[in-house]
Amino acid sequence: MARFDVTDAEWALIEPQLPVAATGPLPRRVRDQFNGISWRFRTGSSWRDVPERYGPWSTAYSRFSSWAKAGVFQGLMDALIAEAASRGQVGLELVSVDSTIVRAHQDSAGLAVAGETLDALEQALTEEKGAPLPEQPPVLRVMARRPHPMPTRRRRRIAPPFGDAVRRGRRLPRSADPEAG
């Protein structure tokens, strides 16, 4: 068993959640393949770099792909959380959101809402809650949005090849003229 492979106690919780076909031979080395999938995501390497002790990389990938499509990992996570909750080992101290990596998209900085729409939203909220909203300072309301003018682009003129300029009768500078001697 390698350093980060699942232990026997962990495997006893995981194995019942993994699907086994109703017919056909039982899959061999399922635990090794599960460890290979875990190794791949823990290290962030490519599938081809999965160590051979976990079996062929293509088998580990095929197993991962079929399990992911069938929702096995979500079911496994739900089952493990339920098991931990039944043992009293689940708490909010396990949840952590680091604000250095949670960021809003650059387009989410502000929403331009027309005044009528904002009034309608406030009215709906007041009716739903049954109490008037506390008095708030006036909000900057955008009535109409003007599109930004597109900058004009200059077309660059590409000089024709040397031979075309001569055939069209254009004069070239003396240094570029082949007949100038």
Side-chain angles (χ1 to χ4, degrees):
M1 178 162 39
R3 181 175 172 202
F4 289 107
D5 289 353
V6 294
T7 63
D8 292 333
E10 293 168 340
W11 185 246
L13 295 172
I14 294 171
E15 186 178 26
Q17 306 305 321
L18 301 179
V20 177
T23 60
L26 293 175
R28 297 177 301 153
R29 303 186 69 187
V30 175
R31 185 174 179 175
D32 290 337
Q33 293 164 0
F34 185 84
N35 285 327
I37 293 167
S38 299
W39 181 91
R40 189 262 185 220
F41 285 102
R42 187 178 59 252
T43 61
S45 64
S46 68
W47 283 104
R48 292 180 184 266
D49 294 335
V50 173
E52 294 203 15
R53 67 178 175 265
Y54 300 124
W57 70 267
S58 58
T59 305
Y61 172 75
S62 297
R63 181 77 61 191
F64 164 74
S65 179
S66 64
W67 283 350
K69 289 176 186 171
V72 171
F73 294 108
Q74 184 63 46
L76 176 63
M77 196 67 178
D78 294 342
L80 291 177
I81 290 172
E83 177 67 27
S86 69
R87 295 179 182 184
Q89 298 173 337
V90 174
L92 289 178
E93 64 272 3
L94 300 175
V95 178
S96 172
V97 178
D98 184 3
S99 65
T100 60
I101 59 166
V102 177
R103 303 212 187 278
H105 191 270
Q106 63 188 10
D107 293 339
S108 68
L111 175 65
V113 178
E116 301 84 29
T117 306
L118 188 58
D119 291 337
L121 289 171
E122 289 175 351
Q123 181 65 30
L125 183 61
T126 303
E127 290 172 2
E128 182 180 324
K129 297 290 182 181
L133 293 173
E135 197 61 37
Q136 296 180 354
V139 178
L140 175 64
R141 297 174 187 230
V142 177
M143 301 311 272
R145 210 171 178 173
R146 283 185 260 144
H148 294 286
M150 293 295 294
T152 57
R153 291 186 177 174
R154 287 185 174 173
R155 289 189 177 196
R156 288 188 3 186
R157 205 167 164 177
I158 300 174
F162 183 71
D164 290 341
V166 173
R167 274 186 242 129
R168 291 185 187 156
R170 294 185 187 154
R171 295 195 75 190
L172 296 174
R174 277 194 145 214
S175 61
D177 193 358
E179 296 173 9

